[in-house]
Amino acid sequence: MKDLTDSSGALSDAAVLRGRLAEDGYLFFRGLLPDDVIGDVRDQLARILHDSNWLAPGTAPEELVASERAVEEGSPGFFGAYTAIQSTQAFHQLAVRPELLTLAARLLGEEAFAHPAHICRIAPPSPGANPTPIHQDYRFIQGCIDTLTTWLPLSAAPPEIGGLRVFAGSPRLGVLPVRASDGPGMMRAEADENHPEWRTTSYQPGDVLLFGSLTVHGAMPNRTKQLRLSADFRYQAVSAPMARDLLGTGKPHYHPDVPDFPTLARGWTSTASVEIPPGVNFVDRWDPRVADVPTPSSRFAYV
């Protein structure tokens, strides 16, 4: 599998970044976020996992060694720990770090904001847990085709722990058909798993992988004894349409199995990280499983 191209040297050059995003469907930045900020969030989440008995007895929380109590996303026993993680203000504040908001605005050419449904992935070892199947975000996010996703490793993520892989150039395939699958999202894109343009790297905390909503991507199996912690944050232009949530707008990830933000945010000093700016235009959702989804035009000229 090829290594990701590092675009850190072009961080301030919007034209170069847009060109690479149009060509490859992704941008990778080594060490974009401060390691101490990521480390603080990781330590807070590790303590939650320790208190939830997800970590092996007698091991240090920061080692993230999985216990037999660690379960696959959405399984019985998952939502207690996940609600505590979603109640952690520092986790949500990562999504609105200036490095990420500025990057999104630079690519989109206007003011951008983060979707409130901030996702934390806690990947137990395989084969007990299924990795996230290969997919395109557009069927899940909907709204605007140019919504951007950033994937952040919160702990070291070499390929053997199930780091993310992306299919370079895949946005030019358009919106792909899907089939049912195990793992988070429960849908797999009909794409070539063995194509030579799959790419990954040995991720470190502070690294940021950004990709468009048509980029095919997915996790690899976790073949270690540790939990892999990562975050998914999504960004769109303020002027672009946003799809309504099924049970309201601006809800947390996995709501209603996870409480709404008024409950999660008790004791926070600010809720700005989970607020949608005024004036955003909301549109209805469609069934993400439908076979034929037209590919809208993109400012990145993928298709």
Side-chain angles (χ1 to χ4, degrees):
M1 193 176 300
K2 294 183 178 180
D3 200 54
L4 295 170
T5 299
D6 187 355
S7 291
S8 301
L11 185 58
S12 61
D13 192 329
V16 170
L17 294 180
R18 290 183 191 128
R20 289 183 182 176
L21 186 59
E23 178 67 23
D24 294 332
Y26 79 88
L27 296 168
F28 174 64
F29 303 95
R30 183 73 76 183
L32 179 62
L33 297 174
D35 184 63
D36 60 334
V37 173
I38 300 295
D40 177 63
V41 174
R42 180 182 63 247
D43 291 347
Q44 291 187 50
L45 303 193
R47 287 194 292 272
I48 290 171
L49 295 169
H50 176 269
D51 293 344
S52 301
N53 297 316
W54 279 47
L55 302 182
T59 62
E62 61 270 18
E63 295 174 350
L64 293 171
V65 179
S67 75
E68 294 181 355
R69 296 286 297 274
V71 296
E72 187 173 19
E73 183 174 309
S75 300
F78 172 78
F79 289 107
Y82 197 65
T83 295
I85 286 173
Q86 286 288 323
S87 299
T88 304
Q89 183 180 359
F91 169 71
H92 292 279
Q93 286 178 320
L94 272 182
V96 294
R97 289 283 307 182
E99 298 92 339
L100 300 178
L101 285 173
T102 300
L103 175 60
R106 185 173 296 143
L107 291 166
L108 296 170
E110 60 179 284
E111 182 185 357
F113 71 97
H115 288 190
H118 305 147
I119 301 171
C120 183
R121 300 291 188 201
I122 314 156
S126 301
N130 295 295
T132 303
I134 64 169
H135 66 283
Q136 296 170 306
D137 281 348
Y138 183 59
R139 286 182 178 270
F140 297 96
I141 300 172
Q142 301 181 28
C144 177
I145 197 74
D146 288 329
T147 300
L148 304 172
T149 294
T150 57
W151 184 86
L152 285 61
L154 301 178
S155 55
E160 60 267 23
I161 204 173
L164 207 69
R165 57 175 177 152
V166 295
F167 182 175
S170 55
R172 292 192 294 278
L173 301 174
V175 181
L176 296 171
V178 294
R179 57 183 171 87
S181 178
D182 294 327
M186 304 298 289
M187 289 193 305
R188 178 179 297 272
E190 296 284 9
D192 184 356
E193 294 261 17
N194 299 309
H195 197 281
E197 285 303 318
W198 280 101
R199 303 185 185 189
T200 191
T201 192
S202 185
Y203 298 96
Q204 294 296 322
D207 294 348
V208 174
L209 176 63
L210 178 147
F211 46 90
S213 71
L214 293 183
T215 302
V216 181
H217 62 285
M220 295 175 288
N222 183 352
R223 305 191 187 282
T224 73
K225 296 181 179 180
Q226 296 172 289
L227 299 175
R228 191 259 291 155
L229 289 180
S230 62
D232 292 4
F233 303 136
R234 286 152 180 172
Y235 303 86
Q236 72 166 71
V238 172
S239 68
M242 180 178 181
R244 293 184 180 90
D245 295 337
L246 295 176
L247 296 171
T249 301
K251 301 297 182 181
H253 184 230
Y254 268 125
H255 179 76
D257 293 295
V258 168
D260 205 350
F261 283 119
T263 298
L264 295 176
R266 288 174 183 166
W268 290 13
T269 57
S270 170
T271 58
S273 61
V274 296
E275 294 172 357
I276 297 173
V280 173
N281 177 39
F282 293 98
V283 296
D284 292 332
R285 287 184 173 272
W286 35 267
D287 185 345
R289 300 164 296 181
V290 297
D292 186 18
V293 178
T295 302
S297 60
S298 165
R299 71 183 71 198
F300 300 114
Y302 292 131
V303 181

